[in-house]
Amino acid sequence: MSKKKEIQYHAIFWILFVGLEQLLKSITIYKDLDTTWSILQNVGFLLLELLIFYCNYLLICPKTIPNKKWRLLIVAQFGLIILFPAIRFVYEEVILFKITGYHNYDVRDLNPLYYIYDNSYYSIRILLFSLVGYFMKYLWNTNAQVNRLIVEKKHAELQALKNQLSPHFLFNSLNGFYSDLYDTNPEVAADILKLSEMLRYVTYESENDMVLLKDEMLFLQNYIDLFKRRFDGKIAITFTYPNNLYAYKIPSLLLIHFLENAFKHGITDDYDNPIIIEVKTEAGRLIFTAANKYGVTQSYDEHGIGNKNISQRLNILYPENHSMDIEQNAKYYKVTLTIPLS
């Protein structure tokens, strides 16, 4: 849902809500709507409702509902139910009383428990409106993201069909080259095997939304080995990752973009300042770091298309549950990606 459309819906809601509420008050309760106290009370009460509504809608719901933190959501709702009468009491029974000399409640009814109970109708009502509004927005955006992913996937499949050369033909050819060179040139044979494994991984494993983390690490290692081979091993890079990856899963082909960027823009022959690719797992989360120096004449744009695509993909897969921090100066670039492990 676009911001403009969201604002329009909210404006319509508040016009109807305030209009109906004031109409009901004028008919049933308030006969002196022109008095100073009544005007100030109505304005203050509306501002309080807006405060509680958007505190829940903009702060609490986005931090809890997408991450399924239901206990925190429930605790926060109870907190707002208490916050509502607390603010109302200060405004109406303290501030307005000093201005107008009138109380809203009889002094004998200003027992804290009774005051919270008597205001619970208004606080719960506005919280329910904010929850329903956020859930509608969340479902709207989720459906839009799913539809966009489906369209993008279909487009990618169509492009793959247009450009496809039979993978079996390539695999069989590479395996044939490997067999021919195994005895006479084992180094080249090993490189061909790595290339075959990479091609197989990109062709088949990338069809899955999630892949084993250990397979992704092997893919990156093969990429690095072939890149080193291309430059006769004169590549300054350190690649570290834990051995105990078990059955962790991550989105397929998520990390190769950062490795390609490091090779494309980084200084690859400075052994005092090598390219650093580091993978760690902590508390069920993956922490991926890529850092490198680059020449002052290089154009290293952290806002490039590749990073935008990665950010968009992460926002769809892990809304409010990931981070991609970029540090950059005139000669140094570092990106740190943190995502939950499946």
Side-chain angles (χ1 to χ4, degrees), residues 145-320:
Q145 290 172 346
V146 170
N147 291 334
R148 185 166 64 249
L149 279 177
I150 291 174
V151 171
E152 290 177 355
K153 185 176 181 181
K154 293 296 182 183
H155 179 72
E157 290 174 352
L158 179 61
Q159 288 299 113
L161 287 173
K162 289 179 179 179
N163 302 322
Q164 188 177 35
L165 178 62
S166 174
H168 296 291
F169 169 77
L170 293 176
F171 294 145
N172 290 337
S173 298
L174 289 172
N175 288 335
F177 297 150
Y178 172 77
S179 299
D180 292 340
L181 295 170
Y182 182 79
D183 293 324
T184 59
N185 199 332
E187 289 186 0
V188 175
D191 291 338
I192 290 175
L193 182 61
K194 291 174 183 176
L195 182 61
S196 177
E197 290 174 350
M198 291 177 66
L199 181 61
R200 189 180 302 276
Y201 183 80
V202 172
T203 303
Y204 294 120
E205 293 297 330
S206 63
E207 292 180 354
N208 302 317
D209 294 330
M210 306 295 287
V211 295
L212 290 174
L213 180 55
K214 65 179 182 66
D215 291 340
E216 188 82 355
M217 293 300 99
L218 179 60
F219 177 70
L220 295 183
Q221 185 63 66
N222 286 339
Y223 186 95
I224 292 171
D225 290 343
L226 289 176
F227 203 90
K228 283 184 175 180
R229 179 73 172 170
R230 177 184 170 189
F231 293 94
D232 297 326
K234 296 178 181 179
I235 299 294
I237 182 171
T238 62
F239 178 39
T240 58
Y241 59 91
N243 294 321
N244 56 337
L245 298 179
Y246 302 111
Y248 291 134
K249 288 187 175 182
I250 64 170
S252 61
L253 300 176
L254 180 68
L255 306 178
I256 186 62
H257 161 74
F258 303 105
L259 182 58
E260 288 178 334
N261 261 8
F263 281 141
K264 180 180 179 181
H265 299 288
I267 298 174
T268 60
D269 59 354
D270 185 353
Y271 288 91
D272 293 327
N273 298 282
I275 295 171
I276 297 175
I277 307 294
E278 183 181 24
V279 176
K280 296 190 295 185
T281 57
E282 292 181 5
R285 299 183 72 82
L286 174 77
I287 303 173
F288 173 86
T289 303
N292 60 273
K293 288 186 64 179
Y294 62 95
V296 293
T297 58
Q298 273 284 13
S299 175
Y300 207 139
D301 182 8
E302 72 271 30
H303 303 296
I305 295 175
N307 277 6
K308 288 182 180 179
N309 289 340
I310 293 292
S311 295
Q312 187 178 50
R313 188 178 178 192
L314 291 172
N315 287 332
I316 293 173
L317 293 171
Y318 306 112
E320 305 293 334

Side-chain angles (χ1 to χ4, degrees), residues 68-212:
K68 296 180 173 57
K69 296 180 179 179
W70 305 120
R71 291 182 182 178
L72 181 59
L73 176 65
I74 293 171
V75 170
Q77 302 310 297
F78 279 108
L80 292 177
I81 289 174
I82 296 173
L83 181 63
F84 184 96
I87 297 176
R88 187 182 186 189
F89 176 85
V90 172
Y91 177 71
E92 293 184 357
E93 308 303 333
V94 178
I95 298 175
L96 275 189
F97 177 73
K98 288 184 177 180
I99 296 173
T100 65
Y102 291 102
H103 283 291
N104 188 23
Y105 281 72
D106 191 297
V107 177
R108 293 169 296 180
D109 293 332
L110 293 179
N111 176 278
L113 291 178
Y114 173 77
Y115 195 80
I116 293 173
Y117 165 76
D118 196 54
N119 278 273
S120 61
Y121 163 75
Y122 300 104
S123 57
I124 292 174
R125 177 186 65 173
I126 204 67
L127 287 174
L128 286 176
F129 279 131
S130 67
L131 285 170
V132 170
Y134 182 81
F135 270 112
M136 291 176 64
K137 171 188 172 182
Y138 181 72
L139 292 175
W140 181 302
N141 289 340
T142 300
N143 288 335
Q145 290 172 346
V146 170
N147 291 334
R148 185 166 64 249
L149 279 177
I150 291 174
V151 171
E152 290 177 355
K153 185 176 181 181
K154 293 296 182 183
H155 179 72
E157 290 174 352
L158 179 61
Q159 288 299 113
L161 287 173
K162 289 179 179 179
N163 302 322
Q164 188 177 35
L165 178 62
S166 174
H168 296 291
F169 169 77
L170 293 176
F171 294 145
N172 290 337
S173 298
L174 289 172
N175 288 335
F177 297 150
Y178 172 77
S179 299
D180 292 340
L181 295 170
Y182 182 79
D183 293 324
T184 59
N185 199 332
E187 289 186 0
V188 175
D191 291 338
I192 290 175
L193 182 61
K194 291 174 183 176
L195 182 61
S196 177
E197 290 174 350
M198 291 177 66
L199 181 61
R200 189 180 302 276
Y201 183 80
V202 172
T203 303
Y204 294 120
E205 293 297 330
S206 63
E207 292 180 354
N208 302 317
D209 294 330
M210 306 295 287
V211 295
L212 290 174

